[in-house]
Amino acid sequence: MDEKSSYSHRLLIVLLMVMLFGVIVLQYVCPGTSDCQLLRIGSIFKSSSASDAIRYRTSDGKDGLPKDPYIAEDNALVRFVPRFNFTKADLSRVVDFNIKGDDVIVFLHIQKTGGTTFGRHLVRNIQLERPCECHAGQKKCTCLRPGKKETWLFSRFSTGWSCGLHADWTELTNCVPTRMDTHEAPKTPIPRRNYYYITILRDPVWRYLSEWRHVQRGATWKASLHVCDGHSPTLSELPSCYLGDDWSGCSLQEFMDCPYNLANNRQTRMLADLSLVGCYNVSAMSDEDRSAVLLESAKRNLRGMAFFGLTEYQRKTQYLFERTFHLAFIAPFTQLNGTRAASMEVALDTQRRIRQLNRWDVELYEYARDLFLQRFQRARQQERRHARERRQQERRRLRGRLSVRPGRPLRPTEGTPHRPDGRPVTQSQLTQQMGEGGGETVESEGLLPDWWDLEENGTVEDYTDNVEQW
């Protein structure tokens, strides 16, 4: 018994020592849970089941951390394969926004796309010479230009619903100029303003579910005007889906079964020019022709907008907005996926039904997502290229200084002066000769040949940058 007890004690001590050693190694390898790559292995396999067949990774930095700060929000997107061909003008969206002049940013707020959060960013989270004045208890903020009593932002939280509740593209483009001329201080002549339209889009299925939950809780948009060609639609053109004050308590099935539900393809309709299809008069053309015209119009207007973001890519949305308007946000955007719609468990058949009901929105979103990611990819590549060019110029400048020290022969170049006996002239001798001749001092950088700064891996670096996938 004593031998067995002694053996058990020794075994227990060995196990305790192994556990202690393992804890010490884990603390050394992973000093914090946020830095421990071992704890992230499970997330790699979870992300591999994405429906769009895009591969993901957690990091590609040498230290195990994400190489790009914009990767983390979408499960570390590695490879993006463009599906659509866009022009250079479509991809390079940088505007000369002059907040001190007469330029105005107009926010087209589509329901349940995260527009409320983005709208608050615009009035509370931008570094401005004259920040917006927001007071507790007030829904609107005062966003005035520096030194003027004029607003530079037309949105829910700055000017209110001046053109109607959740006004669409058709309403805003006809209403905003008139409203601005009426409410701003009178000028002679009336200034020619530049209106920069922006919006936020969201995955159609989750946006639709979010709107259903919102309506189920009693929300309505009865105050929406839906003005098109100077008039609102009649009751026969836009029937109601419910009787009474609201549609609270409606089931998802009831929400999907209403053929007049404006939630169907809402993003396409709100971004299109409705006057092209006779506004809300659905008898003007067939459903297929009407939808095709609206979809093409929405795509065209989306391309022409100064900026648009995607709810699913908050950090990239922030980056592109800042780059487009040369404005910086104070705090970074946060990717929140814990919405009421995201927490729902929806059957696959129901999801397919929703996608069918919103098939034009689905096509528009795929188009918008492709354009959005191409813009982001191009902007990041340009940023890296400019940074590399600055580094090369700095190295060239520093090397030029080091290579022309007094008393040191110049590096042999095509234009390097030599003595009659073939020996090179030093920098001090050349400076002395030019000083005697009344000439100007030779700039050190001009003494270096063009090939002096070329690195051995320069070609590889350029090639890697051009084909880099994020």
Side-chain angles (χ1 to χ4, degrees), residues 39-112:
L39 301 178
R40 300 183 184 180
I41 294 177
S43 63
I44 299 177
F45 297 99
K46 290 180 182 180
S47 64
S48 62
S49 61
S51 61
D52 52 1
I54 298 177
R55 298 180 181 179
Y56 297 95
R57 63 180 176 185
T58 57
S59 66
D60 66 344
K62 294 181 180 179
D63 55 356
L65 298 175
K67 182 179 179 181
D68 194 320
Y70 301 97
I71 285 179
E73 68 177 353
D74 51 1
N75 293 327
L77 184 61
V78 174
R79 180 173 290 107
F80 163 62
V81 180
R83 293 175 49 197
F84 301 94
N85 294 323
F86 296 103
T87 65
K88 183 178 180 180
D90 292 334
L91 299 179
S92 300
R93 303 302 292 175
V94 179
V95 300
D96 186 19
F97 177 70
N98 183 10
I99 195 173
K100 297 182 179 180
D102 296 309
D103 296 348
V104 180
I105 294 178
V106 182
F107 180 33
L108 195 163
H109 185 174
I110 302 175
Q111 290 93 317
K112 314 312 295 179

Side-chain angles (χ1 to χ4, degrees), residues 59 67 84 121 161 174 188 207 224 325 331 353 381 403 421:
S59 66
K67 182 179 179 181
F84 301 94
H121 280 304
W161 302 113
N174 289 280
T188 306
R207 196 215 64 80
S224 298
F325 290 99
R353 172 81 187 281
Q381 288 178 348
S403 63
D421 57 3

Side-chain angles (χ1 to χ4, degrees), residues 24 44 129 146 148 153 264 270 288 303 316 318 381-382 411 413 417 435 437 449:
I24 294 174
I44 299 177
E129 179 181 338
K148 298 181 180 180
L153 176 64
N264 300 340
M270 291 189 66
E288 288 299 320
R303 289 195 310 269
K316 293 179 178 66
Q318 175 183 352
Q381 288 178 348
Q382 289 178 343
R411 294 185 180 275
T413 65

Side-chain angles (χ1 to χ4, degrees), residues 175-188:
C175 168
V176 171
T178 304
R179 289 289 183 180
M180 291 294 296
D181 293 340
T182 303
H183 287 79
E184 295 295 335
K187 291 183 178 181
T188 306

